[in-house]
């Protein structure tokens, strides 16, 4: 799970430092990021949801092509038994 956590942190860093790079490859990148939102490890899932909130501010309209898959991933976590995941 450490590698997946590092990947989430790397994405956050890239979104802050190189939003154009992320925007250009948004579909390919978020195909994998959505998997972190649904990760089996609750720490990864919680961190991915927290990072998504930060990413949304940085990328804004660039998220349009992936918004449906993001909403689906987020919705699955609304019924989580873990209150920290649900809150994220």
């Amino acid at each position: 799970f450490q590698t997946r956590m590092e990947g989430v942190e790397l994405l956050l860093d890239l979104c802050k430092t190189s939003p154009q790079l992320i925007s250009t490859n948004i579909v390919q990148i978020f195909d994998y990021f959505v998997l972190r939102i649904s990760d089996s490890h609750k720490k990864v899932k919680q961190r991915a949801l927290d990072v998504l909130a930060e990413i949304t501010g940085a990328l804004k309209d660039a998220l349009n092509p992936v918004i449906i898959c993001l909403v689906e991933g987020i919705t699955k976590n609304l019924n989580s038994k873990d209150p920290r995941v649900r809150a994220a």
Side-chain angles (χ1 to χ4, degrees):
F1 86 96
Q2 290 291 342
T3 305
R4 296 189 306 269
M5 290 285 283
E6 290 171 9
V8 169
E9 295 301 327
L10 178 61
L11 177 60
L12 176 60
D13 184 50
L14 286 172
C15 285
K16 289 179 177 179
T17 59
S18 305
Q20 187 63 34
L21 173 68
I22 301 300
S23 298
T24 303
N25 301 294
I26 193 107
V27 174
Q28 295 87 347
I29 292 168
F30 276 78
D31 280 349
Y32 289 99
F33 181 70
V34 169
L35 298 175
R36 299 297 67 88
I37 293 173
S38 304
D39 201 275
S40 60
H41 198 282
K42 63 184 173 185
K43 287 183 180 181
V44 175
K45 187 184 309 190
Q46 180 183 353
R47 186 62 187 141
L49 289 166
D50 289 338
V51 164
L52 180 59
E54 293 183 55
I55 288 173
T56 302
L59 297 181
K60 298 178 183 163
D61 291 336
L63 290 172
N64 287 342
V66 294
I67 199 74
I68 292 173
C69 67
L70 287 174
V71 170
E72 289 172 350
I74 294 166
T75 304
K76 291 176 185 176
N77 288 302
L78 292 176
N79 293 326
S80 176
K81 293 178 183 174
D82 186 328
R84 291 173 292 191
V85 170
R86 200 172 42 244

